């Protein structure tokens, strides 16, 4: 993905203190635009995310579209770290639907026993593998409607697979993205699907490929659930959240994955 070459600073307009001022009106969601941000501000938000993390990656380990699908299914109500620990030996012996089905539910269960809800997930993994073989010639479909028909696959899982494995411009709304969409007013919504549709409307097409990863990582390491780390936020000057503690953005520099791994442990 080519990054914008402009190095000009972005002028951020603050809302007017007057209730009748144009600035105040611009910040009020309407039927036509639920986001609290102008298109230029949204573009700048994602431009900064793209500088901070030029090639963001999810934290689940996988080797192909099938193992990605399995990993995302297993990650429900579990940490990525716990899933990776279990799937490393599993994927070493079963990286296709055929191999997974041959392994059987009991053996799959032995591999994923350390993951929450492992019994039900083992059943889904086997049923999912069989469905892929029976209905899709052993290949992961590149269509959301077909993906959500598979055992254990919901809309969020389907969107992750479509985006990561097939490069489609989807938005997988997890708890982090749902929180950010509402907390900062980027795409308010009462349900994950409402937030998803709002984000799809406001995020520029050139940033959609990595948008869900940028938002997830921002929510995981900066705009945290209990207390947002505003001094570490590169969009603090643009952010419209009532919870923010500073208007001064953090330095816009690339972040190494190792730094985020250390932050997760702390």
């Amino acid at each position: 993905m080519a990054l914008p070459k402009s190095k000009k600073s972005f002028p951020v307009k603050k809302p007017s203190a007057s209730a009748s001022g144009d600035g105040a009106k611009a910040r009020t969601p309407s039927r036509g635009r639920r986001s609290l941000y102008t298109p230029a501000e949204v573009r700048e938000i994602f431009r900064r995310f793209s500088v901070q993390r030029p090639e963001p990656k999810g934290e689940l380990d996988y080797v192909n579209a099938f193992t990605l699908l399995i990993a995302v299914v297993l990650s429900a109500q579990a940490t990525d770290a716990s899933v990776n620990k279990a799937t490393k030996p599993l994927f070493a012996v079963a990286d296709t639907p055929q191999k997974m089905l041959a392994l059987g539910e009991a053996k799959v269960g032995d591999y994923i026993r350390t993951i929450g809800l492992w019994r039900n997930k083992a059943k889904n993994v086997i049923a999912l593998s069989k469905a892929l073989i029976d209905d899709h010639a052993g290949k992961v479909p590149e269509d959301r409607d077909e993906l959500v028909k598979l055992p254990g696959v919901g809309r969020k899982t389907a969107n992750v697979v479509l985006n990561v494995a097939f490069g489609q411009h989807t938005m997988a709304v997890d708890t982090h993205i749902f929180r950010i969409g509402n907390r900062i007013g980027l795409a308010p919504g009462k349900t994950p699907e409402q937030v998803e549709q709002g984000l799809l409307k406001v995020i520029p097409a050139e940033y959609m490929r990595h948008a869900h990863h940028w938002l997830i990582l921002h929510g995981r390491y900066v705009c945290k659930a209990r207390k947002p780390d505003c001094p570490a936020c590169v969009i603090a000057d643009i952010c419209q959240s009532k919870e923010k503690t500073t208007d001064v953005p953090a330095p816009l520099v690339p972040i190494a994955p190792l730094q985020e791994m250390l932050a997760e442990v702390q």
Side-chain angles (χ1 to χ4, degrees), residues 83 112 166 221 224 242 252:
V83 172
I112 67 171
F166 303 116
Y221 297 110
K224 303 173 186 178
K242 295 179 181 179
L252 187 57

Side-chain angles (χ1 to χ4, degrees), residues 72-79 82-83 115-117 121 156:
V72 179
V73 167
L74 294 179
S75 70
Q77 299 183 49
T79 65
S82 68
V83 172
I115 301 176
L117 306 175
K121 289 178 179 179
K156 184 188 77 172

Side-chain angles (χ1 to χ4, degrees), residues 128-142:
L128 184 159
S129 299
K130 187 175 187 306
L132 287 176
I133 294 169
D134 293 345
D135 302 331
H136 303 284
K139 296 182 179 180
V140 176
E142 299 182 34

Side-chain angles (χ1 to χ4, degrees), residues 177-251:
I177 294 180
F178 185 76
R179 178 176 69 254
I180 290 175
N182 284 287
R183 175 186 276 169
I184 75 173
L186 184 60
K190 294 182 179 180
T191 66
E193 190 163 349
Q194 287 179 355
V195 172
E196 174 189 337
Q197 294 305 316
L199 291 171
L200 290 174
K201 288 179 182 178
V202 301
I203 298 173
E206 64 264 37
Y207 294 117
M208 275 303 306
R209 178 66 177 87
H210 295 308
H212 101 267
H213 276 140
W214 284 322
L215 290 172
I216 287 172
L217 293 171
H218 187 67
R220 180 171 294 169
Y221 297 110
V222 181
C223 202
K224 303 173 186 178
R226 292 186 179 180
K227 184 180 180 181
D229 187 2
C230 298
C233 180
V234 295
I235 62 167
D237 53 333
I238 305 174
C239 178
Q240 296 298 313
S241 173
K242 295 179 181 179
E243 297 179 49
K244 77 172 183 177
T245 58
T246 181
D247 289 323
V248 180

Side-chain angles (χ1 to χ4, degrees), residues 48-216:
R48 294 186 192 182
F49 286 162
S50 74
V51 172
Q52 192 176 42
R53 299 180 176 93
E55 293 292 335
K57 297 184 183 300
E59 297 179 336
L60 287 173
D61 295 335
Y62 63 96
V63 295
N64 53 31
F66 171 68
T67 54
L68 172 64
L69 175 59
I70 296 299
V72 179
V73 167
L74 294 179
S75 70
Q77 299 183 49
T79 65
D80 290 352
S82 68
V83 172
N84 290 339
K85 186 176 181 180
T87 57
K88 184 176 181 179
L90 174 61
F91 293 160
V93 297
D95 59 356
T96 67
Q98 292 83 356
K99 292 178 182 178
M100 194 70 74
L101 186 61
L103 199 58
E105 184 180 322
K107 286 288 188 181
V108 170
D110 288 340
Y111 280 103
I112 67 171
R113 193 177 295 269
T114 56
I115 301 176
L117 306 175
W118 66 270
R119 288 186 178 87
N120 188 56
K121 289 178 179 179
K123 290 180 181 179
N124 282 335
V125 167
I126 293 302
L128 184 159
S129 299
K130 187 175 187 306
L132 287 176
I133 294 169
D134 293 345
D135 302 331
H136 303 284
K139 296 182 179 180
V140 176
E142 299 182 34
D143 178 81
R144 184 189 292 114
D145 291 339
E146 292 301 320
L147 280 169
V148 297
K149 292 178 184 177
L150 298 171
V153 179
R155 186 180 182 90
K156 184 188 77 172
T157 295
N159 282 337
V160 171
V161 172
L162 291 173
N163 178 266
V164 177
F166 303 116
Q168 295 186 25
H169 289 184
T170 59
M171 177 55 61
V173 177
D174 69 347
T175 55
H176 295 300
I177 294 180
F178 185 76
R179 178 176 69 254
I180 290 175
N182 284 287
R183 175 186 276 169
I184 75 173
L186 184 60
K190 294 182 179 180
T191 66
E193 190 163 349
Q194 287 179 355
V195 172
E196 174 189 337
Q197 294 305 316
L199 291 171
L200 290 174
K201 288 179 182 178
V202 301
I203 298 173
E206 64 264 37
Y207 294 117
M208 275 303 306
R209 178 66 177 87
H210 295 308
H212 101 267
H213 276 140
W214 284 322
L215 290 172
I216 287 172

